[in-house]
Amino acid sequence: METDFTPYFSIIGGALIAFSVLMMLAFNGRVTGISGFIHSLARGKKSVDNGLFIAGIILGAFLYMLFNSGSVVVREDYSILLLILSGLFVGIGTRLGSGCTSGHGICGISRFSLRSIIATMTFMLFGGISTYLIRHIF
Amino acid sequence: MKTKIITLISGILFGFGITISQMSNPYKVLNFLDVTGSWDPSLALVMASALLITIPGYLLILKMQRPIHIESFDLPTTKQIDLTLIIGAICFGIGWGIAGYCPGPGLAALAFNWKEAFPFLIAVIAGGYISDLVMRAMNK
């Protein structure tokens, strides 16, 4: 399905994500890595903090729906097997690589962490390869 | 208590930001990753916009003696660039490109497309455990 280029919503969304990340650092002294929050919560570590941020994400998405549910796209025809396969890879990869788009891509790059810069370039490249294979080859 | 309130508010901002930017729309993510197909560069702008604020923001905040609500900053300390990092990033990229969700947008999608988000997230948690098992076996 084709999607429109939506620069204004992208910029506003990016800015809100940035404010969230900066609040977490300035007040709580923590980087914001969502995969880390999920894996830690699954292991009962810092359950309240991790749980609150995760609940906040879901709540934030609900809030947006209250304002503008018409613009939210719901995909319905995707293979459940591919979703599970995707989740397994994301789970293994974020655990091994200690981060995802937020932890490496935003917080790590903002700290000029070489690890995060390399990780981000790697997962972007392989995300592109993987989508290319799924869409155009298989 | 103060840290908890900040965490919840930050989470809400994050979820709202992900949803308004449509990072939680897997069509949009896959169209961003699919440079050769119907390319949609929107998500590059999400990241650019976020980084334009967080890079100077981090520089300023990390100059403070301590965070406002706790005694010290708690930042990742690993510096090593090793195979684990690279293989992890490769696996994450592959997974992201298969269905178009990364962890944050997967959580946000629970609010409006739980039929996709729920199995994805359960698999993410399972994947985390699989990786622990593999690492443990390799360290023996």
Side-chain angles (χ1 to χ4, degrees):
Chain A
M1 189 180 122
E2 289 203 16
T3 50
D4 294 328
F5 178 49
T6 49
Y8 299 116
F9 286 114
S10 294
I11 291 169
I12 294 167
L16 291 174
I17 293 168
F19 291 135
S20 156
V21 163
L22 290 183
M23 270 176 70
M24 285 292 279
L25 186 72
F27 287 92
N28 296 355
R30 282 182 86 184
V31 295
T32 306
I34 311 303
S35 62
F37 294 168
I38 293 177
H39 292 308
S40 297
L41 183 66
R43 285 159 186 75
K45 288 183 195 145
K46 286 196 169 184
S47 302
V48 179
D49 291 286
N50 293 320
L52 275 174
F53 198 95
I54 286 171
I57 294 181
I58 303 165
L59 216 64
F62 264 119
L63 269 178
Y64 181 76
M65 299 278 291
L66 292 182
F67 289 111
N68 197 356
S69 62
S71 73
V72 173
V73 175
V74 177
R75 183 174 61 179
E76 284 172 334
D77 54 352
Y78 213 67
S79 148
I80 182 93
L81 283 177
L82 284 181
L83 281 165
I84 291 172
L85 186 70
S86 153
L88 285 174
F89 269 103
V90 169
I92 293 170
T94 53
R95 184 79 179 153
L96 281 181
S98 316
C100 59
T101 337
S102 50
H104 281 311
I106 294 178
C107 299
I109 290 183
S110 300
R111 295 190 303 123
F112 305 116
S113 151
L114 189 59
R115 257 173 76 81
S116 292
I117 293 168
I118 289 175
T120 305
M121 291 191 313
T122 308
F123 67 66
M124 288 277 179
L125 174 67
F126 279 84
I129 294 172
S130 160
T131 302
Y132 180 81
L133 291 176
I134 287 274
R135 280 194 163 174
H136 304 288
I137 308 288
F138 293 130
Chain B
M1 190 62 204
K2 284 186 292 184
T3 61
K4 314 277 184 250
I5 293 169
I6 293 292
T7 305
L8 181 64
I9 295 173
S10 303
I12 292 173
L13 270 177
F14 200 97
F16 198 94
I18 281 181
T19 315
I20 197 172
S21 69
Q22 291 200 55
M23 274 209 81
S24 50
N25 172 356
Y27 290 118
K28 215 143 162 88
V29 175
L30 294 178
N31 284 343
F32 166 67
L33 291 173
D34 187 10
V35 190
T36 65
S38 44
W39 195 51
D40 174 356
S42 302
L43 295 190
L45 267 188
V46 179
M47 202 150 162
S49 152
L51 285 172
L52 268 174
I53 299 170
T54 54
I55 289 174
Y58 260 53
L59 278 174
L60 285 174
I61 293 167
L62 290 174
K63 283 206 176 109
M64 305 190 323
Q65 301 255 305
R66 47 166 283 184
I68 298 163
H69 286 164
I70 62 162
E71 270 140 47
S72 60
F73 288 103
D74 178 16
L75 303 172
T77 49
T78 320
K79 294 260 188 302
Q80 217 176 349
I81 293 157
D82 51 16
L83 211 56
T84 317
L85 176 77
I86 305 294
I87 293 174
I90 290 174
C91 286
F92 169 45
I94 292 173
W96 192 27
I98 291 176
Y101 289 111
C102 52
L107 287 170
L110 276 178
F112 47 84
N113 195 358
W114 66 269
K115 282 184 184 168
E116 285 209 341
F118 191 70
F120 169 78
L121 289 165
I122 295 295
V124 169
I125 293 170
Y129 279 104
I130 292 171
S131 126
D132 285 2
L133 286 177
V134 172
M135 289 303 280
R136 215 170 297 152
M138 281 172 56
N139 286 334
K140 264 183 193 161

